[in-house]
Structure formats: C-alpha cells, structure tokens
C-alpha cells in the first residue's frame, strides 16, 4: 500500500506497512502525525475490536498521565 493510502478496509497505514508490522515489530520511532494522518474523527473514537481501546481513548489516557506527571515535577 503506498504512503497515505488506505488498505481497502478504511485504515491508512504509513508507507505500505501492515498492521502486524506496526504492532509486533520494534521500531525506534514512528512519526505520530504520519501514523494518524488519514485517521478521521469517527475512526479515532471507534474501538478496532471488542475489548480494545480506541485511538482517542489511548491518546486521552497518555495526555492525562503526562499532565499528571508534569504537574508533580
């Protein structure tokens, strides 16, 4: 899949990477904006599967704890 194109199921993956590669393989850094570039608001709030968290939920969780930690430094 070329950069910025969807995989046919409405999910955009950067530079032809498969979801398995993104989740299981170890990378030093993946640019967050590129990872989320094609993500719509509706996709962000929808969990990908039952008992999984949405992207929006994960981002809110990370922001909460980062804010909590920085307030204590």
């Amino acid at each position: 899949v070329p950069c910025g194109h969807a995989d046919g199921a409405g999910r955009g993956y950067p530079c032809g990477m498969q979801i398995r590669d993104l989740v299981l393989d170890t990378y030093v850094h993946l640019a967050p904006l590129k990872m989320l570039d094609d993500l719509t608001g509706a996709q962000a709030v929808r969990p990908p599967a039952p008992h999984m968290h949405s992207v929006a939920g994960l981002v809110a969780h990370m922001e909460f704890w980062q804010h909590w930690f920085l307030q204590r430094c």
Side-chain angles (χ1 to χ4, degrees):
V1 178
C3 293
H5 289 99
D7 67 354
R11 298 179 301 259
Y13 300 123
C15 301
M17 298 177 81
Q18 299 299 315
I19 189 68
R20 179 176 170 73
D21 297 329
L22 294 172
V23 175
L24 298 178
D25 289 342
T26 302
Y27 294 93
V28 175
H29 175 73
L30 293 172
L33 291 178
K34 288 193 181 249
M35 295 292 300
L36 303 175
D37 193 33
D38 294 331
L39 191 69
T40 67
Q43 291 169 327
V45 298
R46 184 181 65 232
H51 308 292
M52 291 183 75
H53 299 286
S54 68
V55 170
L58 292 170
V59 170
H61 175 82
M62 291 187 304
E63 192 282 328
F64 171 84
W65 286 109
Q66 184 175 18
H67 178 76
W68 180 88
F69 178 78
L70 291 174
Q71 292 302 307
R72 283 144 186 83
C73 290

